[in-house]
Amino acid sequence: MCKILGAFFSFLLRMSFFLCNFAVAKSKNKSMKQIFTLFLVLAVGVLSAMETGDRIPEPIDTLLERFDRKPGLERAREFFAYMDKEDFMDEPVVFTASTPVDTMKALVWYWAGEWYYAEQDYPRAEKNLLRALDLMEYADDISISDNLAMLGLTYMRQSKYEEALHYMRRCYQLDVKSGDPDRISSSLNTIAGTLMAAGNPTEAEGYILRAISYAKQANNPSRMAIIYGMASEIEHALHKDEIALLYADSAYAVEATTGNTYKMMVRLSQKASILAGLGRYDEAYVIFREVVPFFRTVGDQMSLVISLNKAGLAAHSLGKDDEALRYLYEVIDICGHIGDIYNEAYAQREVYEILFKENPDEARLHMERYHLLKDSLYSHATAEQLARFNAEFGRDELEKEKEVLTKRNHRLIWYGIAGAIIVLIGILISLIMRRKRQEKINQQLSSMMEELNEARQSSVKAQENSPAEEQEEYLTKEDKQFLKKLILTVTQMMDHQAVTVTQVADKMCMSPKTLNRRVQYLTGEGAKRYMMRIQLEQARIILLRDSEIPIVEIAYRCGFEDHSSFTRTFSSYFGMSPSNYRTTRGQG
């Protein structure tokens, strides 16, 4: 009842806010204008207090507060159990009694930062990520880089560009040290996005072109789509709209192969913005009429305000000023709640342009608000800091590239001669080995397919009490080919490293949700559990085939991080430990 009354009161205040805003613009009486203006200030204050004071704590807030009061194993497990239940993470985080408390704190606070960032609660994300970073002195470079990247994004979303660039530069240095082109392309993309948001598309262009080069080396379709999308925004800001449109179409084409509706809508929104820049407002308007309701439904406020701003521009250009104003006023309202200065400034300027002739007094208020936002968004000090960052960063990069090119030229002559000989020999050996290896893989996959299908059929038969012949008809030729490809992908990726659903989905050119849904449909199990079966079947084959290989080595070969987790999982699946299985089944 209280919530209903609160919502009703909030609605009345909002209506009063818009009516008073109109009255201030229309009234000729100076004293009445002052009274209405005073009411506007009070209404804004009351609305802000209601919306911040009535916030209902989320379960994650309560779990985090409990952990902060008493950090320890039990509280950490509660926190990550909830994260796993919400399907927020690819794999659950596992702690033992010997895990240091500082390690638990760092992981809890880092994932809390990820959670709040996804919820677009950037101040809370910033707080937790900074706490986690303080405890990562002895963590591995990848964990530190991930935290720095999230901090950079969090500060960028809050228009704190100096801080964002500070953390992103540290992130980039670690990624270069790792030599991973995918990570390097990601950090360069974020730097380009930060410079773009700060009003420096010219500088951003250099970084995004380098990001594209690294992304092509990494051959990661998901990353490629993100970077093409950023490139389209940057080229659009530089008024190179024909190039921008090519990038936008490329980004959409990559997303379409994954079937991810949300990302496809993001790319469509970018394309519509570029079409508006090209003066093709009717095409842009049609797209915005599709994407704006979608972003409202999914609750993505950032994508919504960007689309609403551009939709307002397209509608105004087509003479639909009433609809344009509705879009832009919605932007102003949302940005006032989430603290998005950049997009509110854009909307205020567009409202001024629309109202200038019909209502100059109200238009002037919006222009004053625009200048206030613009000054706070991009101060002179920030401009100097960005220029200094770009100069230092660019100089470092040029020196590195010059050094690499010099060494490469010296080596190319000698490597060319030796390489030609090696390539010829290698081709001959490769053809022979490839043929033998393919025959061996096909035999092994066929054997594993039979065993996995037998296990699945037994499980389904026990539950549904249906004949095995009916279960066999369930798998079509296409289904078997899909499972065969999945088995091959997992077995190739799991050698001495853990395999996640996200990694396998990327290799198979689909989203994790699509992979999970299809595996669930075909096998009755989630993708994560079915992949675990493949790992265990591979381990079983190695156990029986190579009796000299230590069990701990088999565990690593099959993607398990340690011997104990392998033994525990194997025993649960086969009913006996790996050593007992090797002894009993090997003799049989």
Side-chain angles (χ1 to χ4, degrees), residues 28-64:
K28 304 296 184 181
N29 188 304
K30 185 176 181 181
S31 60
M32 288 300 294
K33 276 194 173 188
Q34 292 175 341
I35 293 172
F36 284 129
T37 302
L38 177 61
F39 183 84
L40 280 173
V41 173
L42 291 173
V44 170
V46 172
L47 280 170
S48 177
M50 287 177 63
E51 288 168 357
T52 55
D54 291 344
R55 184 181 182 275
I56 300 174
E58 298 290 336
I60 200 75
D61 301 340
T62 303
L63 291 170
L64 193 59

Side-chain angles (χ1 to χ4, degrees), residues 2-15:
C2 291
K3 288 183 182 178
I4 296 173
L5 290 174
F8 180 68
F9 185 58
S10 175
F11 172 76
L12 289 178
L13 277 175
R14 287 179 186 277
M15 292 298 297

